[in-house]
């Protein structure tokens, strides 16, 4: 089983060695690792070259000429630029963050499930690792799929994603249809999940966890997975700043104009009353997690002034 791992790095010198070593130590698979550094200014790129230059047959270390501005953009640009010949050498493609640690059987178990379940996208739960508090807990993402969940949420953290070549080729095709560099709040994991679902590709959601998902001061997205006042405040801030409006309008461009999904987006973004209609009409078919669905309902039905 040959797996190509795409790792997006930026100012990750403090933790990246542990992550890379855990990827290279994967059992039961042959791993190729492509690292795309987004113009780090903390010495990350030079460290990578010095530390891993002797493993060039297994690792490619590349530096973006112009910063993409976010990990999500970095991942999409990497996929866009990967040659099809390189893709064909591998059975599966996976995303990796720069500051986690993978358990040794992560890729093998994902590949096995993709094969036995005849799926094109795999994702799983995670182990939330709070270094400051020295605690570990489960981040559950293995909720059952709902009919329209992909319209308002992604699958899991992108670092759990493992994909078939079929899905990667679709992602490369869709990348040319969007201006992801200027798409505010763009999410690569949501984008990939959206493409898989709208193309009727099978998704396998694993209730196991194979990643130590590290939480630290510099991990902005990781902090949003904690049950803290900061996380609640940041989520509310995103919604008020038009998070769902911006995502809806971006994804709307990828849908057939007369589709049910396009109509849901149009009604959601039209005005307060049509947004309420969408919430009441489709309710629990919009989110996999019941708790998250209730939060989504409350925040969207509240008479908040939302930027659009």
């Amino acid at each position: 089983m040959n797996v190509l791992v795409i790792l997006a790095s930026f100012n990750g010198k403090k933790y990246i060695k542990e992550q890379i070593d855990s990827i290279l130590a994967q059992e039961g698979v042959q791993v190729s690792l492509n690292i795309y550094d987004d113009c780090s200014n903390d010495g990350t790129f030079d460290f990578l070259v010095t530390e891993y230059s002797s493993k060039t047959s297994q690792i490619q270390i590349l530096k973006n000429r112009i910063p993409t501005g976010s990990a999500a953009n970095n991942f999409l640009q990497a996929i866009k630029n990967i040659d099809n010949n390189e893709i064909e050498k591998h059975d599966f493609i996976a995303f990796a963050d720069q500051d986690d640690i993978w358990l040794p059987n992560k890729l093998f178990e994902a590949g096995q499930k993709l094969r036995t379940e005849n799926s094109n996208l795999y994702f799983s739960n995670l182990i939330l690792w709070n270094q400051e508090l020295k605690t570990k807990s489960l981040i559950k993402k293995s909720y059952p799929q709902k009919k329209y969940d992909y319209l308002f949420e992604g699958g899991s953290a992108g670092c759990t994603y493992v994909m078939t070549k079929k899905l990667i080729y679709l992602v490369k095709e869709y990348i040319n249809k969007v201006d992801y560099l200027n798409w505010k709040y763009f999410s690569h994991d949501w984008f990939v999940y959206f493409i898989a679902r709208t193309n009727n590709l099978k998704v396998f959601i694993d209730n196991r966890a194979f990643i130590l998902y590290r939480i630290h001061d510099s991990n902005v997205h990781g902090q949003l997975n904690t049950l803290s006042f900061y996380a609640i405040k940041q989520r509310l801030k995103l919604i008020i700043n038009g998070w769902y409006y911006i995502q809806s309008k971006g994804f709307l461009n990828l849908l057939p104009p007369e589709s049910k999904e396009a109509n849901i987006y149009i009604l959601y973004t039209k005005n307060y009353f049509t947004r309420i209609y969408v919430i009441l009409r489709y309710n629990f078919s919009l989110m996999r997690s019941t708790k998250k669905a209730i939060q989504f309902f409350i925040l969207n039905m509240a008479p908040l002034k939302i930027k659009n």
Side-chain angles (χ1 to χ4, degrees), residues 142-287:
S142 56
Y143 298 100
Q145 288 180 314
K146 299 299 176 65
K147 188 172 183 179
Y148 298 115
D149 63 10
Y150 56 93
L151 297 182
F152 292 98
E153 63 175 345
S156 178
C159 56
T160 71
Y161 281 25
V162 183
M163 301 153 281
T164 63
K165 290 181 284 190
K166 180 177 181 178
L167 178 54
I168 284 295
Y169 285 133
L170 276 172
V171 174
K172 285 173 71 72
E173 178 185 330
Y174 275 74
I175 289 173
N176 296 320
K177 299 179 181 180
V178 297
D179 182 11
Y180 61 90
L181 291 174
N182 292 305
W183 182 334
K184 192 176 181 181
Y185 304 129
F186 178 76
S187 168
H188 65 291
D189 42 24
W190 188 351
F191 185 74
V192 171
Y193 184 59
F194 181 91
I195 292 170
R197 292 296 306 279
T198 53
N199 284 275
N200 298 313
L201 300 184
K202 189 176 179 182
V203 177
F204 181 81
I205 307 173
D206 201 337
N207 61 9
R208 298 173 297 173
F210 301 100
I211 292 180
L212 297 180
Y213 189 63
R214 194 193 305 254
I215 297 298
H216 52 83
D217 291 340
S218 302
N219 186 339
V220 177
H221 293 290
Q223 294 287 349
L224 294 177
N225 284 292
T226 61
L227 293 173
S228 63
F229 175 74
Y230 169 82
I232 295 171
K233 180 180 176 182
Q234 289 303 112
R235 288 193 198 100
L236 182 60
K237 183 179 178 181
L238 283 172
I239 290 173
I240 293 173
N241 285 334
W243 163 271
Y244 285 112
Y245 274 83
I246 293 168
Q247 305 308 315
S248 297
K249 291 177 179 178
F251 284 122
L252 180 60
N253 296 323
L254 301 176
L255 292 168
E258 304 303 320
S259 66
K260 173 71 75 173
E261 293 90 342
N263 186 56
I264 291 173
Y265 274 148
I266 290 169
L267 290 174
Y268 180 84
T269 57
K270 188 175 182 181
N271 58 52
Y272 174 76
F273 298 103
T274 56
R275 185 169 84 242
I276 297 304
Y277 170 79
V278 168
I279 299 300
L280 296 177
R281 170 68 177 80
Y282 298 102
N283 52 75
F284 289 97
S285 67
L286 300 177
M287 294 275 172

Side-chain angles (χ1 to χ4, degrees), residues 101-120:
I101 293 180
W102 287 6
L103 302 187
N105 57 337
K106 175 197 180 319
L107 291 179
F108 177 79
E109 295 295 339
Q112 287 289 87
K113 288 300 182 182
L114 286 169
R115 285 176 169 171
T116 59
E117 300 295 329
N118 195 29
S119 299
N120 287 280

